[in-house]
Amino acid sequence: MTGARTGRAVVLEEFGRPLSLREFTIPPAPDGGMIVACGHGGVCGTDLHLCQGHLPIPTPLVLGHEGLGVVRELGPGTHRDATGAELAPGDAVMWASSIACGVCPPCRLHREPTLCENRRTYGVNRSLADGPELAGSWADHIVLHPGTTVVKAAEGVDPLAAMSLACAGPTVVHALYERRPVRLGEVVVVQGSGPVGLAAAAFAQLAGAARVILVGGPAERLESAAGAGIGDVHLDIAGADDPERVLAEVRAATGGAGADLVIECAGVPAAVAQGLTLARRGGSYLVIGQYTDAGDTLINPHQIVYRQLDVIGSWAFTGAHLVEYVRLLPALAARFDLASLVTSFPLERHADALAAVADGSVMKAVLTS
């Protein structure tokens, strides 16, 4: 590797405190790993929860679990990406945020690596003390460890389009591929109009749903989704004076009987009780959005039994799901204006990016370096 041997990174020093922009030495690429120049680091809703201490993570650490960059240096033994394509310095790549251990019961016995008990996740549980320090994508360089799923970026796809759903996309691939697929001709309701909700709606349309009804808010997010071509019907429940009226509109939009599949992507516990009433009898309720424990909520279990619902949860994603997301990106980008969903911020304006995500004034914030 030639040129600068130091890199800047955004560091979470303490929960609830302002983040810092620090400089670190860029080490040589590890055996079986690589150094990537992080051109783009996505800001996820989970990052807000991390900064506020809502998840048990070590600090200090470099934030950022979703990214796209250019290979700067390959370590010994690293020659191909996850699909078998040859890798070389200068290649644009994306990488999976987590590495499963392969030996715990979920990995070894249950074939569920997303539930790995020892997952190591970039930007989440790799503290500075663990080394190397550059282990998050909110940086101009990241050290990718051996075992990381790395895949060449989709050719001809704008990096901002790829980053629009960088975490949400693979998460939804897992949910709709492994847990409960969208079937041709189904009516689908998606609760939530953030990146996960938009990913679910877009994939449902791509999978052949007859109609996709997006219910969420605020209104500006729904307008962004409609402008990008995502969703067939857009209903604002977040800003409604009478949520029950909006729920009645959702049921009417399904044809009256309810949706074949309702996908919860709102991350609001109260949405679950509402969502159970939006599925048809014999339908399915797929819960993706409750990634952070936001508390309890009251539900009516009669709705589950009366409607004879399949209620399914889906947690995170693996490297294989990232590979499928990248494979689908050309089709997604051709059908939907994904880049329009992204607002870019230079690394120095990380605080502005987080604030914009927190107040909902942007759909997807991406830090660039």
Side-chain angles (χ1 to χ4, degrees):
M1 184 172 67
T2 59
R5 298 293 305 189
T6 60
R8 300 173 307 152
V10 178
V11 177
L12 171 62
E13 307 277 5
E14 296 180 50
F15 300 129
R17 303 288 297 172
L19 305 176
S20 60
L21 186 61
R22 291 173 54 181
E23 193 167 281
F24 298 96
T25 299
I26 302 173
D31 290 0
M34 64 188 74
I35 306 295
V36 174
C38 281
H40 302 83
V43 181
C44 179
T46 300
D47 293 313
L48 292 173
H49 296 291
L50 297 180
C51 292
Q52 294 158 2
H54 294 169
L55 292 168
I57 62 169
T59 56
L61 84 165
V62 175
L63 287 169
H65 58 272
E66 48 182 271
L68 187 154
V70 174
V71 175
R72 188 164 179 186
E73 179 185 354
L74 294 173
T78 306
H79 307 290
R80 298 182 182 276
D81 77 353
T83 70
E86 289 191 14
L87 279 177
D91 286 338
V93 295
M94 299 184 76
W95 55 93
S97 54
S98 295
I99 303 174
C101 73
V103 297
C104 70
C107 286
R108 180 168 41 87
L109 300 178
H110 305 150
R111 300 178 299 283
E112 290 286 0
T114 58
L115 304 182
C116 173
E117 297 171 357
N118 306 299
R119 291 172 78 201
R120 300 303 309 279
T121 303
Y122 295 107
V124 175
N125 63 6
R126 291 184 175 275
S127 74
L128 298 186
D130 293 339
E133 296 95 343
L134 293 168
S137 64
W138 292 11
D140 51 26
H141 289 81
I142 186 171
V143 181
L144 296 184
H145 297 255
T148 305
T149 298
V150 177
V151 61
K152 281 189 177 183
E155 289 188 17
V157 175
D158 183 339
L160 292 181
M163 287 302 300
S164 66
L165 306 174
C167 181
T171 298
V172 172
V173 168
H174 175 214
L176 297 187
Y177 187 86
E178 309 278 358
R179 305 298 291 155
R180 202 310 192 163
V182 173
R183 299 172 185 131
L184 290 172
E186 286 192 320
V187 174
V188 176
V189 167
V190 175
Q191 295 176 276
S193 51
V196 177
L198 266 59
F203 277 121
Q205 289 174 271
L206 210 60
R211 195 172 212 199
V212 175
I213 302 154
L214 191 60
V215 53
E220 294 78 12
R221 284 195 164 193
L222 293 166
E223 291 168 6
S224 294
I230 298 174
D232 301 304
V233 179
H234 305 81
L235 297 171
D236 182 5
I237 195 167
D241 295 329
D242 183 3
E244 287 300 324
R245 177 187 56 78
V246 179
L247 294 174
E249 290 182 41
V250 176
R251 295 186 197 100
T254 70
D260 300 291
L261 172 63
V262 180
I263 309 174
E264 186 282 314
C265 304
V268 179
V272 176
Q274 296 174 342
L276 292 174
T277 71
L278 300 178
R280 66 167 172 82
R281 298 188 74 182
S284 299
Y285 191 61
L286 175 61
V287 183
I288 306 175
Q290 306 295 323
Y291 196 83
T292 301
D293 187 349
D296 297 331
T297 190
L298 290 174
I299 65 169
N300 183 344
H302 171 67
Q303 293 295 333
I304 298 172
V305 176
Y306 167 73
R307 296 174 190 275
Q308 196 170 292
L309 297 182
D310 291 326
V311 180
I312 304 148
S314 185
W315 176 262
F317 66 91
T318 69
H321 303 121
L322 172 70
V323 172
E324 293 304 323
Y325 170 67
V326 174
R327 283 176 172 164
L328 285 167
L329 268 172
L332 284 167
R335 180 162 178 176
F336 308 109
D337 185 5
L338 299 182
S340 70
L341 305 175
V342 175
T343 303
S344 297
F345 295 82
L347 208 56
E348 297 82 6
R349 291 184 57 204
H350 53 270
D352 294 336
L354 267 175
V357 172
D359 66 20
S361 59
V362 301
M363 176 65 74
K364 180 66 180 181
V366 173
L367 298 176
T368 58
S369 59

